[in-house]
Amino acid sequence: MSFGLLNGLMLLGLAALALPIVVHLISKRKFDVVSWGAMQFLELGRRTRRRIRIEEFLLMLLRIGMLALLVLALARPWAQGGWLTSFSNSTKRDVVFVIDGSYSMGWEGKAVTPHAAAIQWAHELLAGFRGGDTVALLDARDTVRPVIDSPTSDFATVRERLDGLPDPSGTSNLPLAATEAVKILSRTTNLTRHVIVLTDGQSLPWQTGNEAAWLRLDDLRNEPAVPPQIWVVDVTGGANQDRDNFAVDRVELSRELTVPGFPIRIRTSVHQSGGVTMRRRVSLEVNGQRLDEKTLQINVPGNGRTPVEFEHRFPSVGSYVVSVVLDPDNLPGDNRADAAVIVQDGVPVLLVDGDPQLDPVLSETFFVKAGLTPLGNRSPWVSARVVDHSRFTAADLEGRSVVVLCNVPRLNEAQQGALKDFVGHGGGLVIAPGDRIVDTAYNEMHNESDGLLPLKFLDTDTEENHTLRPINVDNESLQAPWLSGFRSESGIDFVRSRFAKWWRLDTTAAPRRPDGESRIEGAGGVDPLLGLREDGPPVSQARVETIDPRVVARQYGAGMIVQLAVPLDADWSTLPSRNDFVPFLHELVFRLAGQSSGRNVDIGMPLQLEIGSEEAADAWEFTGPDDHHYEADPAGGDHRPLAELPRTDLAGVYRAQPKGDDDREEFFVVNFDRSESDLAPLEALDRQQLTGNDRLHFVDSVEEFKTATRGEASRTELWWLLMLVVIGVLVFEVVMTRRLVQGGHESLDGEAFPTAPPPASTRQTA
């Protein structure tokens, strides 16, 4: 016999069993006895007194038993299997359906996709449910979507929600989904509780190596007195072996923000799971329109990967979705990869000159201004304005996307505060030091959590320290997508830029990953983007030694800071004289300006659209990949008002539109983990690991599930039976009490009183 969750606490009521004993003891207390003449006629015989004591003791035991049965009944005991099942016509149950919503469930190699088969399986089981049964529904994807998180007996609503599940997308985390299902069942009351996971037999979503997740599930499952049973249904019937698949990896853009006519590079790769080398066609689409001139034929090796790159120029401003698309195969969910791009007019940039001169050619901003906004160009890609560092205020930042500090000696507190607010709300900042900066003043701005300076300045280094050997850009350090076009195999002469002097940066304070590598952009990490190299004297094999990084980047709030080790003029290097200098400036500006776009995010992250100060956020709405509409929430501040979708649960393309204006669309792309494309099935050893300790039970059909949960698996509640016994005991207790009282009177009436002896005179007369 077992007891329901929390109802076990009611067993503390067994302490009430002491009450009849206390009453009995109190009734037996000794009192002072005062004898008086007539008492002798009321005294009971010894045998009668013994009988009454026995009956009182039995009555006390009866009352104790009645209280014990009442407490046990309120604790809702249950029994499993055996002859007790005959007392119950049917066992009420609480069920949580977990539908695997990952894109592998969209496999079209059979007449019905696994996702459709899972929904049909749930419908078939629902047909046998009765009143008192309850159902909840979870959609397992990158995050667990609670479709019905409060168990309900409204099966019509459950069927409606099942049929309304979105198409498969993204990946899934089945241990997390099962854990959420167990949490739901911990709040239910029926004695039969099932979690039913409907999936396709793929190994990846089970995360068999994630021991912490499985231990957490085991702990939760074993907490209640009625542990839920977790059933796993492979809706493919085990027909998931040897499924070859082609997939497109996530798209990498050289920039998210660009201008009309400026080229953007779109890179990804196509990989194959299983199979042998095959030829596949891959195309570029823009807003759903395939560009025939941007179609490639590539060879993809079995269990291998082939890189793909496109270049595209957008003709006009607007919001676009670029997609790399494969020809169809049996798994459509990974045959395309999307990315959102913003195309706008010239990017507004502010150049802060640290050494203004009457002769513009001698100023710190001359080469940058000429490269970004050349004279005579009426529609430049970048609109640059110059301000003297001593006159630079927060007002100069209004309407600007990027700020470049060109050899600015120092920043006062007001300027630092303005830049922190500017970058924190999505702006870009470039620090280009030279001979005029006060390194101690800048180093005070270094802080790993919220400082404007990514790395401290140590001192300057010169070519003389290297015996006049050439110091060039290290080609292997140009790994960032926006810098890859300047590698020796792609660029013209960027890597041949020579440096005679530079600031050494303190890389020892840079946050590091556990593997020792410098952390990549984001979360306060410093990313080395560009380094120098020293070529040694000719030997059999050239010596290449990487020097400290010369360009580093750091995420700061919604924006980014790029710190250089050299100025952007010709004082310390030959960089401004190179053909790649102007493209380098543009790539740098577009990279920083696009940082705040937030148009390509990971699942679960918010979507934020910058709106005009005169616009209201509630005038906008977002539309998800499932065509569901979401109201926009206000976010940001007065400096940068935003319309926000706080959370994204589905992967794919989202649209933001003003209500009632179908002609204006702003696109967003929510990315997902594409390792789901590995369709390797769950191995027998892994299945054995998952079924250990009675954790999971695998079944293939509805009938097999019903058979496994019928008969001995049923549970019968016994509280009603105990309550009947309590009522019977209560009646018996009343009868015994009445008998005890009446029995005492009968003893008094039936027992002969002792007769007084006759007077002496009478005896003598007789």
Side-chain angles (χ1 to χ4, degrees):
M1 183 182 297
S2 300
F3 300 90
L5 178 64
L6 296 181
N7 289 337
L9 295 177
M10 297 186 66
L11 295 178
L12 294 176
L14 292 175
L17 301 185
L19 292 177
I21 300 175
V22 173
V23 172
H24 179 76
L25 293 177
I26 292 176
S27 67
K28 294 298 182 181
R29 290 176 59 187
K30 298 294 185 179
F31 299 95
D32 294 335
V33 179
V34 177
S35 299
W36 54 285
M39 260 317 275
Q40 60 179 319
F41 299 108
L42 299 177
E43 291 183 358
L44 299 176
R46 181 178 301 175
R47 181 179 301 175
T48 301
R49 287 197 299 270
R50 184 182 303 111
R51 179 177 60 79
I52 292 175
R53 290 194 191 98
I54 293 174
E55 290 180 351
E56 287 178 344
F57 182 74
L58 292 176
L59 186 61
M60 179 190 69
L61 293 179
L62 190 64
R63 289 168 177 167
I64 291 175
M66 182 178 64
L67 288 176
L69 289 173
L70 181 62
V71 171
L72 292 176
L74 293 176
R76 296 187 65 186
W78 54 269
Q80 181 168 321
W83 62 271
L84 288 170
T85 58
S86 60
F87 287 99
S88 178
N89 293 329
S90 62
T91 303
K92 297 177 182 178
R93 51 191 167 179
D94 302 314
V95 176
V96 180
F97 287 112
V98 177
I99 308 294
D100 185 351
S102 61
Y103 66 79
S104 69
M105 293 286 285
W107 176 261
E108 297 178 346
K110 298 181 69 176
V112 178
T113 66
H115 194 253
I119 294 173
Q120 181 60 34
W121 200 100
H123 277 301
E124 291 181 16
L125 189 61
L126 277 172
F129 281 20
R130 302 179 181 180
D133 295 342
T134 67
V135 180
L137 177 61
L138 299 180
D139 187 15
R141 301 182 186 245
D142 299 78
T143 58
V144 182
R145 299 177 62 248
V147 182
I148 300 176
D149 59 353
S150 181
T152 179
S153 295
D154 185 358
F155 303 139
T157 298
V158 177
R159 294 187 181 94
E160 180 182 347
R161 298 291 179 85
L162 276 169
D163 293 334
L165 288 175
D167 292 336
S169 65
T171 186
S172 60
N173 186 336
L174 294 183
L176 178 60
T179 300
E180 294 301 317
V182 170
K183 289 180 181 178
I184 291 175
L185 291 179
S186 68
R187 305 190 296 267
T188 60
T189 57
N190 286 331
L191 293 180
T192 300
R193 305 173 190 178
H194 296 307
V195 176
I196 303 177
V197 182
L198 300 165
T199 183
D200 60 353
Q202 185 188 20
S203 173
L204 180 74
W206 287 108
Q207 301 185 14
T208 54
N210 190 348
E211 295 183 5
W214 288 109
L215 288 175
R216 189 182 312 115
L217 174 61
D218 290 340
D219 291 341
L220 285 172
R221 194 174 62 87
N222 293 324
E223 277 183 7
V226 183
Q229 298 293 316
I230 303 177
W231 302 88
V232 181
V233 183
D234 180 359
V235 293
T236 68
N240 56 357
Q241 305 289 331
D242 301 325
R243 295 188 292 177
D244 298 339
N245 178 49
F246 293 90
V248 183
D249 290 324
R250 181 181 297 194
V251 167
E252 291 184 358
L253 301 174
S254 58
R255 69 193 66 84
E256 293 184 12
L257 182 144
T258 186
V259 295
F262 194 80
I264 182 174
R265 287 182 300 280
I266 303 144
R267 296 195 307 181
T268 185
S269 59
V270 177
H271 73 268
Q272 180 183 187
S273 300
V276 296
T277 300
M278 295 187 65
R279 193 164 183 81
R280 303 290 294 179
R281 185 173 67 172
V282 59
S283 304
L284 180 68
E285 291 183 359
V286 177
N287 286 359
Q289 299 297 317
R290 177 167 296 189
L291 306 180
D292 293 334
E293 69 277 11
K294 301 285 177 67
T295 299
L296 304 175
Q297 295 286 343
I298 60 174
N299 291 322
V300 185
N303 291 314
R305 179 176 273 102
T306 301
V308 176
E309 180 171 341
F310 295 99
E311 184 175 284
H312 185 68
R313 300 172 188 260
F314 296 91
S316 59
V317 300
S319 180
Y320 297 87
V321 174
V322 295
S323 308
V324 178
V325 184
L326 277 174
D327 281 349
D329 64 3
N330 286 328
L331 186 57
D334 56 8
N335 287 341
R336 67 185 299 122
D338 307 303
V341 179
I342 302 174
V343 182
Q344 67 178 41
D345 289 325
V347 179
V349 174
L350 179 67
L351 306 178
V352 184
D353 197 326
D355 187 19
Q357 300 286 333
L358 293 177
D359 184 355
V361 177
L362 301 178
S363 69
E364 298 289 338
T365 58
F366 173 75
F367 289 100
V368 183
K369 177 72 161 54
L372 293 176
T373 311
L375 293 175
N377 189 340
R378 295 184 178 180
S379 56
W381 290 332
V382 176
S383 175
R385 183 172 71 88
V386 179
V387 63
D388 186 343
H389 74 94
S390 61
R391 300 176 182 176
F392 166 50
T393 65
D396 296 310
L397 299 174
E398 294 183 5
R400 299 287 145 178
S401 297
V402 179
V403 175
V404 184
L405 302 181
C406 298
N407 202 13
V408 174
R410 65 172 72 229
L411 297 171
N412 59 41
E413 291 186 5
Q415 292 169 337
Q416 291 183 41
L419 285 174
K420 284 185 176 182
D421 184 68
F422 171 76
V423 181
H425 285 86
L429 174 63
V430 179
I431 301 174
D435 57 353
R436 288 181 55 80
I437 73 162
V438 180
D439 56 336
T440 55
Y442 273 87
N443 290 342
E444 291 177 357
M445 294 164 30
H446 171 74
N447 185 293
E448 290 189 4
S449 60
D450 62 353
L452 282 176
L453 192 70
L455 297 178
K456 287 184 178 181
F457 292 112
L458 295 178
D459 52 30
T460 56
D461 206 346
T462 62
E463 188 182 32
E464 286 75 15
N465 293 342
H466 297 274
T467 323
L468 297 178
R469 293 197 296 269
I471 304 297
N472 301 101
V473 174
D474 179 20
N475 186 63
E476 296 303 318
S477 69
L478 303 176
Q479 299 296 329
W482 67 276
L483 284 172
S484 61
F486 301 108
R487 294 171 61 90
S488 57
E489 59 269 24
S490 305
I492 301 175
D493 52 8
F494 185 79
V495 296
R496 293 199 296 273
S497 302
R498 293 189 57 187
F499 295 82
K501 191 175 183 180
W502 57 88
W503 280 97
R504 293 176 56 237
L505 306 179
D506 184 10
T507 58
T508 60
R512 299 271 170 176
R513 296 196 302 258
D515 58 8
E517 294 294 330
S518 178
R519 292 173 60 183
I520 305 302
E521 300 171 9
V526 177
D527 180 19
L529 301 178
L530 183 153
L532 302 182
R533 70 178 183 183
E534 174 188 5
D535 289 344
V539 290
S540 58
Q541 184 176 2
R543 179 173 64 90
V544 178
E545 178 183 356
T546 301
I547 313 300
D548 290 338
R550 294 297 160 257
V551 178
V552 297
R554 179 182 185 179
Q555 190 81 27
Y556 187 94
M560 179 176 286
I561 301 171
V562 171
Q563 178 184 1
L564 282 64
V566 293
L568 292 172
D569 60 15
D571 290 348
W572 289 4
S573 72
T574 63
L575 182 60
S577 65
R578 299 301 178 186
N579 293 303
D580 283 333
F581 178 67
V582 172
F584 168 75
L585 291 177
H586 282 86
E587 292 287 358
L588 176 61
V589 166
F590 288 133
R591 175 68 181 91
L592 292 175
Q595 172 64 24
S596 62
S597 72
R599 297 303 180 96
N600 298 285
V601 301
D602 291 325
I603 196 164
M605 295 182 62
L607 303 182
Q608 295 181 332
L609 174 69
E610 188 169 357
I611 59 178
S613 56
E614 69 284 354
E615 292 184 286
D618 57 9
W620 287 80
E621 67 177 4
F622 290 87
T623 303
D626 57 348
D627 292 328
H628 182 78
H629 297 285
Y630 305 88
E631 293 289 331
D633 295 336
D638 295 337
H639 176 76
R640 187 170 176 254
L642 302 170
E644 181 182 67
L645 177 61
R647 181 179 175 84
T648 51
D649 292 328
L650 295 176
V653 178
Y654 287 72
R655 304 190 311 274
Q657 291 177 292
K659 294 177 180 177
D661 185 0
D662 295 334
D663 295 331
R664 184 180 176 188
E665 290 183 318
E666 298 291 336
F667 293 105
F668 297 81
V669 171
V670 177
N671 290 299
F672 54 89
D673 182 2
R674 292 184 172 265
S675 57
E676 181 75 16
S677 297
D678 182 3
L679 300 177
L682 195 64
E683 300 292 342
L685 188 60
D686 292 332
R687 179 177 291 203
Q688 182 179 355
Q689 175 187 341
L690 295 177
T691 55
N693 298 323
D694 199 37
R695 179 193 289 151
L696 302 183
H697 306 273
F698 286 82
V699 294
D700 293 326
S701 66
V702 174
E703 290 304 320
E704 184 178 350
F705 172 77
K706 290 180 178 179
T707 301
T709 57
R710 187 182 298 129
E712 291 297 320
S714 62
R715 291 168 178 156
T716 305
E717 289 195 88
L718 302 178
W719 64 268
W720 57 272
L721 185 62
L722 292 176
M723 289 301 294
L724 290 177
V725 176
V726 168
I727 294 174
V729 172
L730 181 61
V731 172
F732 188 57
E733 190 268 348
V734 172
V735 172
M736 279 200 64
T737 303
R738 181 178 179 82
R739 181 179 182 280
L740 179 64
V741 173
Q742 291 180 342
H745 285 290
E746 291 172 356
S747 298
L748 288 172
D749 294 337
E751 186 173 316
F753 290 111
T755 305
S761 58
T762 303
R763 293 196 303 266
Q764 293 174 355
T765 300

